[in-house]
Amino acid sequence: MAANALEVRSLTKVIGRKKIVDDVSFSVHKGEIFGLLGPNGAGKTTIIRMIVSLIKRTDGAVMVNGNNLDGQFKETMSEIGAIVENPEFYKYMSGYKNLKHYANMAIKDVSDERIKEVARLVKLEDAIHQKVKTYSLGMRQRLGVAQALLHNPSLLILDEPTNGLDPQGIREFRDYLHSLAREGISVLVSSHLLSEMQLMCDRFAIIEKGKLIHISSMNETMDEAEAAEVVFEVSNSKKAVELLKGQAAAANVKVITDDQFSVSVEKSAVSTINKLLIVNDIDVYGISRVTATLEDRFLEITNKEVKEA
Protein backbone atom coordinates (compact mmCIF):
# COMPACT_ATOMS: atom_id res chain seq x y z
CA MET A 1 0.00 0.00 0.00
CA ALA A 2 1.27 3.48 -0.89
CA ALA A 3 1.96 5.79 2.05
CA ASN A 4 0.44 8.79 0.28
CA ALA A 5 -2.98 9.24 -1.27
CA LEU A 6 -1.56 11.81 -3.71
CA GLU A 7 1.93 12.70 -4.91
CA VAL A 8 2.55 15.62 -7.22
CA ARG A 9 6.03 15.62 -8.73
CA SER A 10 7.58 18.65 -10.50
CA LEU A 11 4.23 19.80 -11.84
CA THR A 12 4.75 22.50 -14.47
CA LYS A 13 2.43 24.41 -16.80
CA VAL A 14 3.73 26.76 -19.48
CA ILE A 15 1.44 28.87 -21.67
CA GLY A 16 3.31 30.72 -24.39
CA ARG A 17 6.44 31.99 -22.71
CA LYS A 18 4.90 32.24 -19.25
CA LYS A 19 5.21 29.62 -16.51
CA ILE A 20 1.84 29.48 -14.80
CA VAL A 21 2.99 26.65 -12.49
CA ASP A 22 6.71 26.19 -11.87
CA ASP A 23 8.06 22.80 -10.68
CA VAL A 24 5.58 22.20 -7.85
CA SER A 25 5.92 19.02 -5.74
CA PHE A 26 3.95 17.93 -2.67
CA SER A 27 2.16 14.92 -1.22
CA VAL A 28 -1.11 14.34 0.62
CA HIS A 29 -1.03 11.69 3.34
CA LYS A 30 -3.86 9.24 3.76
CA GLY A 31 -6.64 10.53 5.99
CA GLU A 32 -5.42 14.13 6.14
CA ILE A 33 -6.76 17.47 4.93
CA PHE A 34 -4.09 19.27 2.92
CA GLY A 35 -4.52 22.91 1.91
CA LEU A 36 -3.26 24.83 -1.09
CA LEU A 37 -3.02 28.47 -0.03
CA GLY A 38 -2.32 31.54 -2.08
CA PRO A 39 -3.89 34.70 -3.49
CA ASN A 40 -6.19 34.61 -6.49
CA GLY A 41 -4.09 34.04 -9.60
CA ALA A 42 -1.30 32.21 -7.75
CA GLY A 43 -1.85 29.00 -9.74
CA LYS A 44 -3.91 26.91 -7.29
CA THR A 45 -6.75 26.15 -9.70
CA THR A 46 -4.30 25.38 -12.52
CA ILE A 47 -2.57 22.83 -10.27
CA ILE A 48 -5.89 21.18 -9.42
CA ARG A 49 -6.99 21.17 -13.07
CA MET A 50 -3.76 19.39 -14.01
CA ILE A 51 -4.15 16.84 -11.22
CA VAL A 52 -7.64 15.86 -12.41
CA SER A 53 -6.62 16.07 -16.11
CA LEU A 54 -8.92 18.93 -17.06
CA ILE A 55 -5.87 20.55 -18.67
CA LYS A 56 -2.59 19.03 -19.89
CA ARG A 57 0.61 19.18 -17.88
CA THR A 58 3.67 20.67 -19.55
CA ASP A 59 5.80 18.52 -17.26
CA GLY A 60 5.59 16.51 -14.07
CA ALA A 61 3.75 13.46 -12.76
CA VAL A 62 0.66 12.74 -10.66
CA MET A 63 0.49 9.62 -8.49
CA VAL A 64 -2.67 8.48 -6.68
CA ASN A 65 -2.22 5.66 -4.16
CA GLY A 66 1.05 4.83 -5.88
CA ASN A 67 -0.48 4.61 -9.37
CA ASN A 68 0.75 6.92 -12.12
CA LEU A 69 -2.05 8.89 -13.75
CA ASP A 70 -0.38 8.61 -17.17
CA GLY A 71 0.05 4.85 -17.10
CA GLN A 72 -3.18 3.83 -15.34
CA PHE A 73 -5.60 6.63 -16.17
CA LYS A 74 -8.98 4.94 -15.59
CA GLU A 75 -7.92 3.16 -12.40
CA THR A 76 -6.33 6.30 -11.00
CA MET A 77 -9.20 8.65 -11.85
CA SER A 78 -11.65 6.23 -10.25
CA GLU A 79 -9.91 6.96 -6.92
CA ILE A 80 -10.54 10.72 -7.23
CA GLY A 81 -13.66 12.74 -6.47
CA ALA A 82 -13.47 16.44 -7.32
CA ILE A 83 -15.31 19.75 -7.30
CA VAL A 84 -13.54 22.33 -9.44
CA GLU A 85 -15.22 25.73 -9.01
CA ASN A 86 -18.98 25.60 -8.33
CA PRO A 87 -20.84 22.29 -8.70
CA GLU A 88 -23.55 22.39 -11.38
CA PHE A 89 -26.81 20.47 -11.26
CA TYR A 90 -30.12 20.23 -13.08
CA LYS A 91 -32.17 22.57 -10.90
CA TYR A 92 -35.55 21.26 -12.08
CA MET A 93 -34.62 17.77 -10.86
CA SER A 94 -34.39 16.56 -7.27
CA GLY A 95 -31.09 16.05 -5.51
CA TYR A 96 -31.65 12.30 -5.70
CA LYS A 97 -32.31 12.31 -9.46
CA ASN A 98 -29.20 14.42 -10.02
CA LEU A 99 -27.10 11.90 -8.08
CA LYS A 100 -28.76 9.04 -9.96
CA HIS A 101 -27.84 10.74 -13.24
CA TYR A 102 -24.17 11.03 -12.21
CA ALA A 103 -24.20 7.45 -10.89
CA ASN A 104 -25.24 6.21 -14.34
CA MET A 105 -22.13 7.90 -15.82
CA ALA A 106 -19.68 6.56 -13.23
CA ILE A 107 -16.99 4.02 -14.17
CA LYS A 108 -17.76 1.98 -11.06
CA ASP A 109 -21.25 0.61 -10.40
CA VAL A 110 -23.13 2.87 -7.97
CA SER A 111 -26.12 1.31 -6.25
CA ASP A 112 -29.24 3.10 -5.03
CA GLU A 113 -28.13 2.23 -1.51
CA ARG A 114 -24.85 4.07 -2.10
CA ILE A 115 -26.79 7.17 -3.25
CA LYS A 116 -28.79 7.07 -0.02
CA GLU A 117 -25.59 6.56 1.97
CA VAL A 118 -23.82 9.64 0.56
CA ALA A 119 -26.99 11.69 1.06
CA ARG A 120 -26.83 10.73 4.74
CA LEU A 121 -23.09 11.48 4.85
CA VAL A 122 -23.61 15.06 3.68
CA LYS A 123 -26.74 15.46 5.83
CA LEU A 124 -29.14 15.89 2.93
CA GLU A 125 -31.32 12.82 3.55
CA ASP A 126 -34.33 15.00 4.52
CA ALA A 127 -34.04 17.17 1.38
CA ILE A 128 -32.71 14.68 -1.17
CA HIS A 129 -36.08 14.36 -2.97
CA GLN A 130 -36.63 18.13 -3.17
CA LYS A 131 -35.79 19.99 -6.37
CA VAL A 132 -32.30 21.49 -6.42
CA LYS A 133 -33.73 24.94 -7.21
CA THR A 134 -35.08 24.98 -3.63
CA TYR A 135 -31.61 24.30 -2.13
CA SER A 136 -29.52 26.93 -0.40
CA LEU A 137 -25.96 27.49 -1.64
CA GLY A 138 -24.63 25.45 1.27
CA MET A 139 -26.95 22.56 0.41
CA ARG A 140 -25.81 22.66 -3.24
CA GLN A 141 -22.18 22.54 -2.07
CA ARG A 142 -22.95 19.48 0.04
CA LEU A 143 -24.77 17.89 -2.90
CA GLY A 144 -21.61 18.54 -4.91
CA VAL A 145 -19.57 16.66 -2.32
CA ALA A 146 -22.12 13.84 -2.41
CA GLN A 147 -21.72 13.63 -6.19
CA ALA A 148 -17.91 13.57 -5.82
CA LEU A 149 -18.19 10.74 -3.27
CA LEU A 150 -20.63 8.55 -5.19
CA HIS A 151 -18.01 6.18 -6.57
CA ASN A 152 -16.34 5.85 -3.15
CA PRO A 153 -13.03 7.62 -3.94
CA SER A 154 -10.06 7.64 -1.57
CA LEU A 155 -9.10 11.22 -2.51
CA LEU A 156 -11.40 14.24 -2.56
CA ILE A 157 -10.21 17.41 -4.34
CA LEU A 158 -12.03 20.69 -3.72
CA ASP A 159 -11.29 24.05 -5.34
CA GLU A 160 -12.49 27.03 -3.24
CA PRO A 161 -15.36 24.96 -1.76
CA THR A 162 -16.58 27.61 0.72
CA ASN A 163 -17.04 30.41 -1.84
CA GLY A 164 -20.38 32.09 -1.24
CA LEU A 165 -21.19 30.21 1.97
CA ASP A 166 -22.31 32.10 5.06
CA PRO A 167 -20.40 31.55 8.36
CA GLN A 168 -22.78 28.79 9.48
CA GLY A 169 -22.45 27.02 6.14
CA ILE A 170 -18.65 27.29 6.25
CA ARG A 171 -18.54 25.78 9.73
CA GLU A 172 -20.83 22.90 8.77
CA PHE A 173 -18.74 22.23 5.66
CA ARG A 174 -15.50 22.25 7.68
CA ASP A 175 -16.92 19.85 10.26
CA TYR A 176 -18.06 17.58 7.47
CA LEU A 177 -14.58 17.45 5.90
CA HIS A 178 -13.11 16.56 9.29
CA SER A 179 -15.57 13.66 9.56
CA LEU A 180 -14.51 12.43 6.10
CA ALA A 181 -10.83 12.57 7.10
CA ARG A 182 -11.59 10.54 10.24
CA GLU A 183 -13.08 7.87 7.96
CA GLY A 184 -9.78 7.69 6.04
CA ILE A 185 -10.63 9.85 3.02
CA SER A 186 -7.83 12.24 2.03
CA VAL A 187 -8.78 15.79 1.10
CA LEU A 188 -6.92 18.35 -1.01
CA VAL A 189 -8.57 21.76 -0.70
CA SER A 190 -7.56 25.11 -2.16
CA SER A 191 -8.57 28.48 -0.77
CA HIS A 192 -7.50 32.07 -0.17
CA LEU A 193 -9.52 32.24 3.09
CA LEU A 194 -6.63 31.87 5.52
CA SER A 195 -8.60 31.95 8.77
CA GLU A 196 -10.81 29.12 7.56
CA MET A 197 -7.88 27.02 6.31
CA GLN A 198 -6.20 27.36 9.72
CA LEU A 199 -9.20 25.60 11.28
CA MET A 200 -9.62 23.07 8.47
CA CYS A 201 -6.19 21.73 7.45
CA ASP A 202 -3.62 19.37 8.95
CA ARG A 203 -0.87 20.51 6.56
CA PHE A 204 -0.64 23.10 3.83
CA ALA A 205 1.46 24.53 1.02
CA ILE A 206 1.71 28.18 -0.02
CA ILE A 207 1.68 28.89 -3.75
CA GLU A 208 3.03 32.27 -4.85
CA LYS A 209 3.21 33.22 -8.55
CA GLY A 210 3.10 29.56 -9.57
CA LYS A 211 5.84 28.43 -7.19
CA LEU A 212 5.64 26.45 -3.97
CA ILE A 213 7.35 28.62 -1.35
CA HIS A 214 6.41 26.88 1.91
CA ILE A 215 5.06 23.54 3.07
CA SER A 216 4.55 22.28 6.62
CA SER A 217 1.99 21.15 9.18
CA MET A 218 -0.30 23.80 10.63
CA ASN A 219 1.06 23.27 14.16
CA GLU A 220 4.70 23.57 13.05
CA THR A 221 4.02 26.78 11.19
CA MET A 222 2.31 28.41 14.12
CA ASP A 223 5.20 27.43 16.41
CA GLU A 224 7.82 28.73 13.96
CA ALA A 225 6.70 32.35 14.14
CA GLU A 226 9.85 34.46 14.36
CA ALA A 227 8.50 36.72 17.09
CA ALA A 228 5.31 36.59 19.09
CA GLU A 229 3.38 39.48 20.55
CA VAL A 230 3.43 39.25 24.35
CA VAL A 231 1.20 41.32 26.64
CA PHE A 232 2.53 42.28 30.09
CA GLU A 233 0.26 43.46 32.89
CA VAL A 234 2.37 45.74 35.12
CA SER A 235 2.18 48.50 37.71
CA ASN A 236 3.34 51.21 35.30
CA SER A 237 3.18 50.48 31.56
CA LYS A 238 4.63 53.84 30.42
CA LYS A 239 7.74 53.40 32.59
CA ALA A 240 8.11 49.82 31.35
CA VAL A 241 7.90 50.85 27.68
CA GLU A 242 10.53 53.58 28.14
CA LEU A 243 12.81 51.03 29.81
CA LEU A 244 12.41 48.48 27.01
CA LYS A 245 12.79 50.82 24.06
CA GLY A 246 16.54 50.59 24.42
CA GLN A 247 16.59 46.79 24.46
CA ALA A 248 17.67 45.07 21.24
CA ALA A 249 15.63 41.93 21.96
CA ALA A 250 12.36 43.86 22.22
CA ALA A 251 10.59 45.20 19.13
CA ASN A 252 7.34 47.07 18.58
CA VAL A 253 6.93 48.01 22.23
CA LYS A 254 3.70 49.91 22.80
CA VAL A 255 1.42 51.00 25.62
CA ILE A 256 -2.04 49.42 25.61
CA THR A 257 -3.44 50.84 28.88
CA ASP A 258 -1.97 52.33 32.05
CA ASP A 259 -1.22 48.85 33.34
CA GLN A 260 -0.68 46.90 30.07
CA PHE A 261 1.86 47.00 27.25
CA SER A 262 2.73 44.69 24.37
CA VAL A 263 6.07 43.75 22.88
CA SER A 264 7.21 41.48 20.01
CA VAL A 265 9.87 39.11 21.31
CA GLU A 266 11.12 35.57 20.89
CA LYS A 267 10.04 33.10 23.56
CA SER A 268 13.49 32.98 25.17
CA ALA A 269 13.46 36.75 25.82
CA VAL A 270 10.24 36.82 27.88
CA SER A 271 11.91 35.81 31.16
CA THR A 272 14.73 38.33 30.57
CA ILE A 273 12.22 41.16 30.17
CA ASN A 274 10.35 39.99 33.26
CA LYS A 275 13.54 40.13 35.36
CA LEU A 276 14.44 43.56 33.94
CA LEU A 277 11.06 44.97 34.93
CA ILE A 278 11.27 43.61 38.48
CA VAL A 279 14.84 44.89 38.99
CA ASN A 280 13.61 48.36 38.00
CA ASP A 281 10.77 48.32 40.57
CA ILE A 282 7.99 47.59 38.08
CA ASP A 283 5.60 44.98 39.42
CA VAL A 284 4.52 42.27 36.95
CA TYR A 285 1.00 40.90 37.48
CA GLY A 286 0.58 38.82 34.35
CA ILE A 287 2.19 37.72 31.06
CA SER A 288 0.21 36.38 28.11
CA ARG A 289 1.21 35.46 24.57
CA VAL A 290 -0.97 36.55 21.65
CA THR A 291 -1.32 33.51 19.40
CA ALA A 292 -0.17 34.09 15.83
CA THR A 293 -2.76 33.51 13.09
CA LEU A 294 -2.19 31.80 9.76
CA GLU A 295 -2.65 35.22 8.17
CA ASP A 296 0.28 36.54 10.26
CA ARG A 297 2.47 33.61 9.23
CA PHE A 298 1.35 33.79 5.60
CA LEU A 299 2.38 37.45 5.38
CA GLU A 300 5.62 36.72 7.24
CA ILE A 301 6.50 33.87 4.85
CA THR A 302 5.51 35.64 1.63
CA ASN A 303 7.23 38.92 2.64
CA LYS A 304 10.38 36.96 3.44
CA GLU A 305 10.20 35.34 0.01
CA VAL A 306 9.90 38.76 -1.66
CA LYS A 307 12.92 40.12 0.25
CA GLU A 308 15.05 37.09 -0.64
CA ALA A 309 14.03 37.37 -4.29
Side-chain angles (χ1 to χ4, degrees):
M1 292 289 287
N4 296 316
L6 172 69
E7 290 184 50
V8 171
R9 301 175 182 172
S10 300
L11 208 60
T12 301
K13 180 65 177 178
V14 179
I15 299 178
R17 296 183 178 180
K18 186 175 181 181
K19 275 191 177 180
I20 307 300
V21 175
D22 188 0
D23 194 27
V24 169
S25 300
F26 62 86
S27 60
V28 178
H29 304 327
K30 292 192 174 181
E32 80 167 346
I33 302 176
F34 186 93
L36 278 183
L37 308 185
N40 290 330
K44 304 186 302 298
T45 297
T46 302
I47 291 170
I48 285 177
R49 284 176 172 271
M50 285 192 285
I51 291 172
V52 298
S53 295
L54 287 176
I55 59 175
K56 289 184 178 180
R57 289 164 270 137
T58 302
D59 200 2
V62 175
M63 312 285 290
V64 178
N65 293 326
N67 297 321
N68 192 308
L69 185 62
D70 293 331
Q72 298 165 288
F73 184 79
K74 281 189 176 181
E75 296 88 340
T76 303
M77 288 301 296
S78 70
E79 292 296 323
I80 300 175
I83 302 176
V84 182
E85 297 178 348
N86 294 324
E88 294 294 335
F89 297 99
Y90 296 105
K91 294 181 181 178
Y92 63 89
M93 290 166 52
S94 69
Y96 181 86
K97 286 184 178 179
N98 269 279
L99 293 182
K100 182 69 175 176
H101 173 70
Y102 284 109
N104 291 336
M105 295 189 293
I107 296 173
K108 296 179 181 178
D109 290 334
V110 178
S111 66
D112 288 348
E113 189 56 41
R114 176 60 182 169
I115 296 174
K116 294 175 184 177
E117 182 182 350
V118 295
R120 286 194 298 270
L121 279 174
V122 299
K123 299 179 180 178
L124 279 178
E125 63 268 37
D126 293 335
I128 198 64
H129 293 292
Q130 297 175 17
K131 291 184 178 181
V132 171
K133 66 181 181 182
T134 68
Y135 283 15
S136 67
L137 181 57
M139 291 169 72
R140 289 201 297 274
Q141 290 285 62
R142 282 186 280 148
L143 186 63
V145 174
Q147 179 261 310
L149 291 172
L150 273 177
H151 59 291
N152 204 21
S154 59
L155 173 65
L156 185 61
I157 298 178
L158 307 171
D159 184 27
E160 300 281 1
T162 57
N163 272 359
L165 296 185
D166 60 22
Q168 179 66 25
I170 290 174
R171 181 171 183 173
E172 289 176 358
F173 194 81
R174 182 209 315 147
D175 291 344
Y176 174 65
L177 290 187
H178 284 154
S179 69
L180 287 180
R182 286 194 295 270
E183 291 176 11
I185 295 175
S186 305
V187 181
L188 172 65
V189 56
S190 80
S191 182
H192 62 280
L193 300 177
L194 302 182
S195 59
E196 182 54 36
M197 294 294 267
Q198 182 173 352
L199 297 171
M200 186 183 294
C201 299
D202 302 302
R203 291 192 306 130
F204 70 97
I206 295 177
I207 307 297
E208 178 78 6
K209 295 180 181 178
K211 294 184 178 182
L212 191 153
I213 64 171
H214 180 86
I215 186 168
S216 73
S217 75
M218 196 64 71
N219 290 336
E220 287 172 348
T221 298
M222 294 301 100
D223 291 341
E224 287 170 359
E226 292 176 357
E229 184 180 358
V230 179
V231 175
F232 284 79
E233 186 176 354
V234 295
S235 56
N236 188 329
S237 62
K238 290 181 181 178
K239 182 180 176 181
V241 167
E242 288 301 318
L243 177 66
L244 291 176
K245 279 184 177 178
Q247 302 296 314
N252 300 322
V253 189
K254 57 187 178 184
V255 174
I256 300 175
T257 64
D258 289 342
D259 59 0
Q260 284 188 328
F261 73 90
S262 67
V263 57
S264 295
V265 290
E266 299 205 11
K267 189 175 181 180
S268 58
V270 174
S271 61
T272 303
I273 291 175
N274 186 43
K275 291 174 185 176
L276 182 64
L277 295 173
I278 293 171
V279 167
N280 285 273
D281 297 322
I282 299 173
D283 296 329
V284 179
Y285 305 124
I287 303 172
S288 59
R289 183 179 178 181
V290 179
T291 304
T293 65
L294 181 57
E295 182 178 8
D296 297 330
R297 289 294 290 131
F298 179 86
L299 293 173
E300 187 178 307
I301 292 164
T302 53
N303 288 339
K304 183 178 179 181
E305 181 73 14
V306 169
K307 288 178 183 177
E308 290 178 352

